[in-house]
Amino acid sequence: MAEKKQEQKEQLTVKVTALFALLTELYGADELLLKAGRLDILDLLEAEEIDKQLIALQKLIFDHPMLDDIPEDFSCKVELLEELENELADKLAQKAAKEELEDKINARLQKKHQEYLNEIKEEIIKNETEEGAIDNPHTLKKYIELEQLEEQGLNSSATGLVRPDSLTEIIGQERGIKALLTKLASPYPQHIIIHGPPGVGKTTAARLALEVAKVKGQSPFQTDANFVEVDATTLRWDPREVTNPLLGSVHDPIYQGGKGNLAQQGIPEPKPGLVTEAHGGVLFIDEIGELDPLLQNKLLKVLEDKRVNFDSSYYDPNNENVPQYIKKLFKDGAPADFILVGATTRSPQELNPALRSRTTSIFFAPLTKDDIGEIVNQASVKLGIKLEVGVGELIAQYTVQGRRAVNLLIDAYNLALEAEEEKITKREVEEAIKLSRLVPTHRFTGSQDSQIGQVLGLGVSGFLGSVLEVEAVAFSATEAGKGKIKFNQTAGSMAQDSIFNAASIVRKVTGEDINNYDLHVNLVGGGQVDGPSAGVAISVAIISALKKIPVRQNIAVTGEISLHGKVKPVGGVVEKIHGAYQAGIDEVLIPAENQACFVEDEDIKVTPVTDIEEVLAKIFDTRGEVTEWRL
């Protein structure tokens, strides 16, 4: 009996030892000890009793810490060992299958990794090609074509040759240039708007003023400061910020692309605009009054912040592939610390109030006939052209713009070359005038004669003053008290209102009831009068027509008339006086309240007046025989 139990014990020991060996193969010795430690059976592993070893064995195989029961019967223990053997066989089969699968996965991963490396190499080569690092025959051909076009340029234009090289060569703008330098070439330069008629040198003056400021020690402008020029009439932008050449925009990585590598990675690329290009220098905007109002407001924001901020829904600050310069542009914006210089033919009142509040205005005067003559003579010297005496004065009769005067001179020069003339004569100039269909800029010139019912008023348009001929005629009404007043409708509603004010003034001054007369008041040429500034001239014309008193034709007048006969201030006085001077007028009567607006000039007499009586005393001619004006 004892021998049988010993034999059974040995059989169990062999099987248990074999199962422990398989467990060691399955988990490894170290992992098996760790597993036994978690199950708290280390002491069972070291025990000599077969039952304790069986308990440890079933806990390890079934991974269950509560399996503490072992059958007493030998056959039942054998069955338990067979069950454990089957379970362990399954685990070994699973491990083998898992290892086989892992081998396949590793092989596939290795293959994919190599393919990925090859794709990266191809991408790098492609990006280098797109960025111009690698040229091909097609791109080299285009480069050669561009170089050939550069060599085939025409000679420099005549306009470029006659452009002033210094501020002293800009004719007729001494006061404007002085104001420009005062505001620009200082330790604290200001944003500037230059008002003035076209073709008087606004753009050239701004460019040369920056060059003067660069060499001044107290100026903040560096020697490499940029002068960036743009025309507001041709500036196009998208309110959606798809494109904005003035302020800058962000290129959509999907629809606009940008650089190939950025587009493929979905990275938006900010494109700085002209305001950043002008950083540290001057941004010159010609015709700034025509700039889109919304874009003006955005520009004013940039003037305050001194930088442009960018935003895009595609930008991810956590994307490690975003270049540093793009991250900086989105985080800090692009620098835009510059001085704005704008040019316009509009008056300050016509500009955006917000723009006016952030800028200072300076004014360039219209050119006189003498200025035009000097410009023509200066251009002829630069072009190496000889002129007949009187050519400059002839050109000055047909334009008040320096640019157009030079163009007319060049047209005459071309005609002289065809005729093989050694110099430009007045004959070529007259031919050029006919070809351009020009008319004299001043239809009326002052005279020493006097006329009844005709008064010289003054108007202004686009900083250009002009003489207005106001005429009136009076007839006794067909039926007393039922007289009529006629006035050309194209003169404007304000001018028509001046007629009714004048009617009251006439009755006050003359004692005449205009209802007893048929009156016809006319503005020669049918020009529209902007504002009530023709009120005094209309009143004088009606009084002259009623009382048959001649009016001096060498005196012009401007001003609004009140119901009490007071001469009220009007706008554009400087330009009106200039227009009177151009027309050969000897004296101008202006409202006394406008006297502060006028800078004394020796070329024409300016007399301030306060009421209609002063005007009549100055403008009526009561000396000698006069020629009466007739319809």
Side-chain angles (χ1 to χ4, degrees):
M1 188 68 176
E3 293 179 358
K4 185 176 182 181
K5 287 185 177 180
Q6 183 62 29
E7 183 180 352
Q8 291 177 348
K9 181 180 178 181
E10 289 177 357
Q11 291 179 359
L12 293 175
T13 300
V14 171
K15 287 192 175 184
V16 168
T17 302
L19 289 176
F20 271 117
L22 290 175
L23 274 175
T24 303
E25 180 183 347
L26 176 63
Y27 295 111
D30 294 337
E31 179 66 24
L32 184 61
L33 289 175
L34 290 174
K35 190 175 181 67
R38 289 196 300 271
L39 295 172
D40 196 20
I41 57 172
L42 289 174
D43 56 336
L44 297 179
L45 291 178
E46 297 176 355
E48 294 183 358
E49 296 86 349
I50 193 66
D51 288 348
K52 291 183 178 180
Q53 292 181 4
L54 276 174
I55 292 173
L57 192 61
Q58 70 176 354
K59 284 186 176 183
L60 285 172
I61 293 176
F62 289 114
D63 197 16
H64 199 302
M66 304 302 293
L67 298 177
D68 296 322
D69 297 330
I70 297 297
E72 294 292 335
D73 185 60
F74 172 74
S75 59
C76 292
K77 289 180 180 180
V78 173
E79 291 178 1
L80 175 61
L81 285 172
E82 290 179 355
E83 183 179 354
L84 293 175
E85 186 178 349
N86 292 334
E87 181 68 20
L88 188 55
D90 290 341
K91 288 184 179 293
L92 288 170
Q94 291 176 4
K95 179 183 178 182
K98 182 179 179 181
E99 289 177 349
E100 182 181 358
L101 180 60
E102 287 179 351
D103 291 340
K104 291 182 179 180
I105 291 175
N106 289 332
R108 180 64 62 86
L109 287 175
Q110 184 65 28
K111 182 179 178 181
K112 289 292 184 182
H113 179 67
Q114 189 61 42
E115 291 177 354
Y116 177 66
L117 290 177
N118 293 336
E119 289 179 0
I120 291 178
K121 291 178 181 179
E122 293 176 359
E123 182 71 19
I124 292 174
I125 295 174
K126 180 180 179 182
N127 290 341
E128 289 180 347
T129 303
E130 290 179 351
E131 294 173 4
I134 300 176
D135 276 314
N136 54 49
H138 180 68
T139 60
L140 288 174
K141 179 182 177 182
K142 289 185 175 294
Y143 175 77
I144 294 173
E145 290 175 351
L146 288 174
E147 288 294 334
Q148 290 175 345
L149 291 176
E150 292 285 354
E151 296 176 357
Q152 297 173 0
L154 300 176
N155 294 330
S156 57
S157 66
T159 304
L161 289 174
V162 301
R163 180 178 292 119
D165 297 321
S166 66
L167 291 174
T168 57
E169 294 183 5
I170 300 178
I171 307 301
Q173 305 301 337
E174 290 77 13
R175 289 173 181 163
I177 290 173
K178 181 179 180 181
L180 178 61
L181 288 176
T182 301
K183 301 177 188 303
L184 188 64
S186 71
Y188 306 102
Q190 300 171 272
H191 301 300
I192 301 167
I193 302 294
I194 305 176
H195 301 268
V200 296
K202 298 188 293 294
T203 305
T204 302
R207 183 185 294 107
L208 295 175
L210 176 60
E211 297 303 318
V212 172
K214 288 180 183 180
V215 299
K216 287 199 173 184
Q218 72 275 19
S219 173
F221 295 108
Q222 302 298 319
T223 55
D224 59 348
N226 288 332
F227 183 87
V228 179
E229 181 181 351
V230 63
D231 191 336
T233 60
T234 60
L235 193 61
R236 297 292 179 264
W237 74 293
D238 192 327
R240 298 170 299 175
E241 301 298 342
V242 174
T243 178
N244 191 334
L246 180 62
L247 305 183
S249 57
V250 179
H251 278 201
D252 187 308
I254 297 177
Y255 297 103
Q256 292 178 279
K259 294 182 179 179
N261 55 339
L262 297 179
Q264 291 178 8
Q265 297 180 56
I267 299 175
E269 182 182 16
K271 296 290 185 180
L274 296 176
V275 294
T276 300
E277 184 180 347
H279 178 73
V282 168
L283 174 64
F284 182 85
I285 302 181
D286 199 11
E287 299 298 341
I288 193 170
E290 311 305 321
L291 193 64
D292 184 275
L294 180 58
L295 188 56
Q296 280 191 32
N297 293 333
K298 291 179 177 290
L299 176 61
L300 295 178
K301 176 64 175 173
V302 173
L303 290 180
E304 290 183 359
D305 297 343
K306 298 185 184 301
R307 63 182 52 251
V308 182
N309 295 314
F310 297 101
D311 187 26
S312 173
S313 58
Y314 294 97
Y315 174 63
D316 180 8
N318 299 318
N319 186 349
E320 297 179 353
N321 296 322
V322 177
Q324 290 298 318
Y325 83 96
I326 291 182
K327 287 185 176 180
K328 181 172 179 58
L329 285 173
F330 276 114
K331 180 182 178 182
D332 302 328
D337 188 3
F338 59 90
I339 292 299
L340 173 66
V341 179
T344 180
T345 57
R346 295 189 178 192
S347 65
Q349 292 74 21
E350 295 178 282
L351 298 181
N352 183 347
L355 177 63
R356 288 165 49 197
S357 68
R358 290 168 174 81
T359 58
T360 180
S361 294
I362 64 175
F363 298 88
F364 273 31
L367 298 175
T368 65
K369 292 180 179 179
D370 295 337
D371 294 334
I372 294 296
E374 190 173 349
I375 289 172
V376 170
N377 293 331
Q378 179 176 279
S380 67
V381 173
K382 289 194 171 187
L383 293 173
I385 305 172
K386 295 181 180 180
L387 303 180
E388 181 184 3
V389 176
V391 166
E393 290 77 4
L394 178 59
I395 291 177
Q397 295 179 18
Y398 288 87
T399 182
V400 293
Q401 296 184 24
R403 188 184 304 112
R404 185 174 294 175
V406 171
N407 291 337
L408 194 57
L409 176 67
I410 295 171
D411 290 343
Y413 176 59
N414 294 333
L415 292 172
L417 290 177
E418 290 183 3
E420 299 182 352
E421 297 281 354
E422 295 182 356
K423 63 180 180 180
I424 299 177
T425 65
K426 289 191 282 188
R427 183 176 63 255
E428 280 84 30
V429 174
E430 290 171 350
E431 181 66 19
I433 290 171
K434 291 178 182 178
L435 292 174
S436 299
R437 298 185 179 182
L438 299 178
V439 295
T441 55
H442 298 281
R443 297 178 303 166
F444 183 87
T445 56
S447 69
Q448 299 302 316
D449 296 333
S450 299
Q451 293 195 21
I452 294 175
Q454 179 167 305
V455 180
L456 303 181
L458 295 171
V460 63
S461 175
F463 290 96
L464 293 177
S466 60
V467 174
L468 303 175
E469 298 177 65
V470 181
E471 54 186 14
V473 63
F475 306 99
S476 297
T478 305
E479 186 176 348
K482 294 185 178 181
K484 298 179 180 179
I485 300 177
K486 293 183 180 181
F487 189 69
N488 50 328
Q489 299 294 320
T490 58
S493 59
M494 292 296 291
Q496 294 183 45
D497 291 341
S498 297
I499 289 286
F500 300 106
N501 291 349
S504 300
I505 299 302
V506 169
R507 187 168 186 176
K508 178 180 179 181
V509 173
T510 65
E512 297 280 355
D513 185 357
I514 63 172
N515 289 323
N516 295 326
Y517 297 90
D518 288 331
L519 293 175
H520 190 175
V521 181
N522 179 49
L523 263 66
V524 177
Q528 184 171 0
V529 178
D530 184 16
S533 62
V536 174
I538 292 172
S539 300
V540 173
I542 294 176
I543 294 173
S544 172
L546 289 175
K547 306 302 289 184
K548 306 299 181 184
I549 303 175
V551 178
R552 294 179 178 179
Q553 299 301 293
N554 63 340
I555 298 178
V557 61
T558 184
E560 179 183 0
I561 192 72
S562 74
L563 292 176
H564 298 286
K566 301 297 181 181
V567 180
K568 296 296 182 180
V570 292
V573 170
V574 175
E575 290 79 12
K576 291 176 180 178
I577 293 173
H578 178 84
Y581 168 73
Q582 291 284 79
I585 303 299
D586 296 330
E587 185 178 0
V588 176
L589 307 182
I590 66 171
E593 295 180 43
N594 282 124
Q595 188 174 7
C597 304
F598 173 66
V599 180
E600 292 294 336
D601 197 320
E602 297 178 356
D603 295 328
I604 189 170
K605 182 179 179 181
V606 178
T607 303
V609 291
T610 58
D611 53 41
I612 190 66
E613 287 82 3
E614 287 187 50
V615 175
L616 297 178
K618 291 281 186 181
I619 205 168
F620 277 164
D621 185 1
T622 57
R623 301 168 299 170
E625 184 177 354
V626 298
T627 302
E628 182 178 351
W629 178 87
R630 297 181 181 276
L631 184 63

